Amino acid sequence: MGERKLVLVTGATGYIGGRLVPRLLAEGYRVRVLARAPSKLQAVPWRDAVDVAAGDLADPQTAARACEGVDTLFYLVHSMGSGADFETRELEMAGTVADAAARSGVRRIVYLGGLHPDNVPLSRHMRSRTAVGRVLLEGVVPAVVFQAGVVIGSGSASFEMIRHLTENLPVMPAPSWVRRRIEPIAIRDVLHYLVRAPELPPGLNRAFDIGSREVLTYADLLYGYAHEAKLAPRRIYSLPVPAPRLAGWWVALTTPIPHAMAVPLVESLQHDAVSAEHDIDGYVPPPPGGLTGYLKAVELALGRIRSGDVETSWTNASGRPPSDPLPSDPDWAGRTVYVDERLRDSTVGPEYVWQVIEGIGGENGWYSWPAAWVIRGVLDKLVGGAGHNRGRRHGGRLGVGEAVDWWRVEHIGNGPGGKVLRLRAEMKVPGDAWLELSALPHGTGTTYRQRAVYFPRGLAGKAYWWLVLPFHGLIFPSMARNILRHAAGLEHASAGVEAAGMPGP
């Protein structure tokens, strides 16, 4: 690429921008990001690899400083859900940025807008995004406007609406917009086009439609999600009325998506969102292996497509795919997760607590209400699960992949702050469950941490969690207490052995 070009990414704390930055860095670009709240970037792994500028794009001086020395400006901001006058603010901000880019000699502006039909009344959100694209195209600096439909990836507002509607509503009376034709696009394909944008011919100034080339109805998107998420078949009944605002309120009530965002999202579904042309193919070839189909995009968003034979767990990992949540994603993004966490400090040494943890299950049991564990195991057997009588291969040590009653060892050994055992449930439950036990050194003693983590699957999964929660309140406190008590006994016995002149365990 020759001299490393400087690119400016606005909206780096947002869904698209947060995933674009590391890919631009990987391509060899120098990256500057402009953020009103740089503190939101503290947790992202690429923070120290970029130049962070603080400020508001609506301020001409801030915009001008941010554009200094920039080759390509990625304009990835919008004000959906930020007040009644967001259309005016968006147009003014786009004009300010276009002027600053022209004065600073920026070579190209890249903008991500939305797919929409021509010559129809658009929602305020879509109308605003279209108007912003027009402002940039009419400016002095050549602009490339990518127009995309529903973006499929964990954390995308459009995908989260699909996720939560499908998981929460097995029967869905829906407005007429569920019959609208939609051309979705995977987040990885959006990023493919954005990363290639600086390489487009100089002076190119136009809009491009981008999508998966797979046209579905919105109901098809919901059905497809249910299939990939392994939910029971959904029933969707289209009503003969659009009711966009009422539907927006309904989405806000039945999903974690804020009302201020749900209403404009639903209003934007009143018309088809399908590519009218595929001219981008003449400039940017499709990704290696072709564009991503909808079902595969959902698999990626759910973490169902993985590298190698190791199943990805709920913990964060390095090398995350672009469909994974980022620290800067909104709180409502991603799957619903329930956590029961217990922390207890003890004067017992961490090596003795860990000895008990590694020996859990099988003949040693689970240190609380043995009858309750047996009954739960019997019930699991009756519905075709692993049950409670698989035991464990070794009494005192474990390895990754080994069975422990109805659990499977997913991780054992060093973790954040100490030793960690993470078990993945293989019992029959409407969701995915883990149990994590940790021995964390604390002064001369130990902090024992115990976490039950559960990803429900649909309404049945959520009902299951609330049904068993009272039993957690009985079993888990005594489990933590008894593990530490047993560890104290081991430490006491070891001290007695050493006092007698014999080596400890």
Side-chain angles (χ1 to χ4, degrees):
M1 191 170 61
E3 181 185 357
R4 296 178 66 210
K5 295 178 180 178
L6 176 65
V7 298
L8 171 64
V9 178
T10 65
T13 59
Y15 179 72
I16 301 292
R19 286 155 175 78
L20 175 62
V21 168
R23 281 150 190 83
L24 291 170
L25 291 169
E27 291 292 322
Y29 292 101
R30 292 182 295 130
V31 179
R32 176 182 297 154
V33 301
L34 177 64
R36 283 183 296 179
S39 59
K40 291 184 178 180
L41 298 173
Q42 290 301 320
V44 297
W46 42 261
R47 169 61 181 81
D48 293 335
V50 303
D51 173 23
V52 178
D56 193 330
L57 280 176
D59 176 20
Q61 292 183 342
T62 298
R65 285 195 301 269
C67 288
E68 290 176 0
V70 167
D71 176 83
T72 301
L73 187 160
F74 290 90
Y75 191 76
L76 303 174
V77 296
H78 62 83
S79 306
M80 180 174 64
S82 61
D85 61 343
F86 77 90
E87 287 184 89
T88 301
R89 284 203 308 274
E90 285 206 328
L91 286 178
E92 292 176 349
M93 190 160 56
T96 298
V97 171
D99 291 342
R103 292 195 304 272
S104 301
V106 173
R107 187 178 62 89
R108 166 170 291 121
I109 297 175
V110 181
Y111 176 64
L112 182 64
L115 272 179
H116 61 276
D118 294 327
N119 304 317
V120 297
L122 299 176
S123 69
R124 293 180 64 218
H125 167 56
M126 191 59 67
R127 187 171 66 231
S128 177
R129 296 185 72 180
T130 302
V132 167
R134 189 179 306 115
V135 167
L136 298 177
L137 289 169
E138 293 174 353
V140 174
V141 178
V144 170
V145 176
F146 292 121
Q147 299 181 149
V150 173
V151 177
I152 305 301
S154 183
S156 160
S158 298
F159 176 73
E160 295 302 333
M161 190 166 82
I162 293 170
R163 182 206 301 267
H164 291 291
L165 283 176
T166 309
E167 292 193 350
N168 292 342
L169 301 174
V171 178
M172 196 183 314
S176 57
W177 49 259
V178 295
R179 298 194 300 266
R180 291 297 178 190
R181 297 164 67 242
I182 305 290
E183 184 178 350
I185 183 169
I187 177 59
R188 58 173 47 196
D189 293 345
V190 174
L191 296 172
H192 168 77
Y193 290 119
L194 289 172
V195 168
R196 299 275 81 84
E199 305 168 9
L200 292 169
L204 183 66
N205 187 72
R206 60 160 295 179
F208 291 99
D209 291 353
I210 58 174
S212 63
R213 316 293 166 83
E214 183 180 14
V215 179
L216 306 165
T217 66
Y218 198 83
D220 291 333
L221 302 184
L222 301 175
Y223 288 133
Y225 178 91
H227 178 269
E228 294 304 321
K230 305 187 186 307
L231 301 173
R234 271 29 193 167
R235 298 288 181 265
I236 302 172
Y237 302 97
S238 175
L239 304 177
V241 291
R245 295 196 65 81
L246 178 61
W249 278 96
W250 177 243
V251 169
L253 286 171
T254 56
T255 76
I257 298 174
H259 169 264
M261 186 171 287
V263 171
L265 278 176
V266 170
E267 288 178 342
S268 298
L269 296 173
Q270 305 310 306
H271 304 288
D272 294 345
V274 179
S275 295
E277 43 82 16
H278 303 141
D279 295 351
I280 189 62
D281 290 349
Y283 297 89
V284 180
L291 293 163
T292 309
Y294 175 65
L295 293 182
K296 182 179 179 182
V298 173
E299 282 188 279
L300 289 163
L302 294 175
R304 292 276 163 76
I305 295 179
R306 306 174 174 97
S307 59
D309 297 324
V310 179
E311 188 170 0
T312 302
S313 74
W314 54 273
T315 56
N316 290 332
S318 60
R320 64 174 77 236
S323 55
D324 276 1
L326 292 179
S328 56
D329 286 348
D331 293 339
W332 45 261
R335 296 182 65 180
T336 299
V337 58
Y338 296 122
V339 179
D340 185 311
E341 183 172 33
R342 314 278 169 166
L343 292 170
R344 292 181 70 96
D345 290 330
S346 171
T347 58
V348 178
E351 66 273 23
Y352 298 101
V353 178
W354 178 248
Q355 185 177 338
V356 178
I357 290 174
E358 192 172 9
I360 202 164
E363 292 183 0
N364 293 329
W366 295 87
Y367 298 97
S368 66
W369 292 52
W373 290 86
V374 171
I375 293 170
R376 183 64 183 87
V378 170
L379 294 175
D380 191 51
K381 270 288 190 182
L382 292 176
V383 296
H388 188 254
N389 57 0
R390 288 193 308 190
R392 46 181 290 160
R393 186 181 302 173
H394 304 290
R397 66 181 188 275
L398 288 174
V400 172
E402 291 186 18
V404 183
D405 295 329
W406 62 54
W407 306 90
R408 182 77 57 180
V409 178
E410 188 172 82
H411 171 82
I412 184 168
N414 293 330
K419 291 284 190 75
V420 178
L421 170 64
R422 185 165 63 248
L423 304 171
R424 183 184 182 114
E426 293 186 340
M427 67 185 83
K428 292 288 186 179
V429 296
D432 301 311
W434 291 263
L435 179 63
E436 185 179 84
L437 311 176
S438 306
L440 313 175
H442 179 69
T444 59
T446 306
T447 294
Y448 170 77
R449 183 172 66 186
Q450 175 180 295
R451 291 201 292 176
V453 180
Y454 179 62
F455 285 0
R457 191 178 304 124
L459 286 179
K462 294 178 181 179
Y464 172 82
W465 173 262
W466 294 110
L467 180 66
V468 301
L469 192 59
F471 297 97
H472 287 182
L474 295 173
I475 292 173
F476 286 156
S478 62
M479 181 177 175
R481 185 171 57 252
N482 291 333
I483 283 176
L484 290 177
R485 182 181 298 153
H486 194 72
L490 292 177
E491 185 178 49
H492 181 73
S494 176
V497 169
E498 291 179 2
M502 301 176 63

